[in-house]
Amino acid sequence: REKDDKYRTWMPKFLMAKEDKDQRKSGSDGERNIFKVKKSNAEKNKKMGKEEKFFRETFMYDKEIHVINTATAECSVPSTRRVDLPVTAGEQLDVIDVTEGSAVICRNSEGRYGYVLVEHLNFR
């Protein structure tokens, strides 16, 4: 008998009897909210909105923001000015616009914008 209990067949939750499911549901703290927005996502969107506003004011950028290409940073480069984007090696960047010089306007995963020299990027 002990062996029978030990090797009892496993039954997935969707094959459980209806009474068991009803008891389990009644034990929960009310209904689940499927469409609940996580607090971290709301804060992240707010921060990205602030960064975009700062970018538009600083760069006087009135065009619509489109991602032209994606690039990977080859080496870590600290920023010396506020308009330069500090990058770390291996970081994925979205290329937003091309300038006349050897720099491009990029956006990192945190939503910050800035100039990055083309020689520091690897385009795929």
Side-chain angles (χ1 to χ4, degrees), residues 69-109:
N69 201 348
T70 56
T72 308
E74 289 182 339
C75 58
S76 297
V77 181
S79 66
T80 54
R81 305 177 297 168
R82 175 63 173 119
V83 293
D84 293 334
L85 183 65
V87 294
T88 57
E91 184 178 11
Q92 291 281 355
L93 300 170
D94 296 329
V95 179
I96 305 297
D97 203 356
V98 181
T99 60
E100 293 177 10
S102 62
V104 290
I105 298 174
C106 294
R107 175 179 61 197
N108 65 4
S109 60

Side-chain angles (χ1 to χ4, degrees), residues 17-101:
K18 250 188 173 177
E19 300 93 22
D20 295 341
K21 286 184 181 179
D22 292 339
Q23 288 175 357
R24 203 172 52 140
K25 279 186 179 179
S26 64
S28 64
D29 296 73
E31 294 184 29
R32 269 182 23 185
N33 190 356
I34 296 171
F35 301 106
K36 192 174 187 178
V37 177
K38 289 185 178 179
K39 190 175 182 181
S40 62
N41 284 347
E43 289 174 2
K44 187 175 181 182
N45 289 342
K46 187 177 178 182
K47 183 179 179 183
M48 289 182 86
K50 282 184 178 179
E51 288 290 340
E52 183 179 334
K53 184 179 177 184
F54 180 80
F55 163 70
R56 289 187 179 280
E57 290 172 358
T58 305
F59 290 79
M60 291 180 247
Y61 196 83
D62 57 350
K63 300 181 222 172
E64 193 170 335
I65 297 174
H66 287 292
V67 177
I68 299 171
N69 201 348
T70 56
T72 308
E74 289 182 339
C75 58
S76 297
V77 181
S79 66
T80 54
R81 305 177 297 168
R82 175 63 173 119
V83 293
D84 293 334
L85 183 65
V87 294
T88 57
E91 184 178 11
Q92 291 281 355
L93 300 170
D94 296 329
V95 179
I96 305 297
D97 203 356
V98 181
T99 60
E100 293 177 10

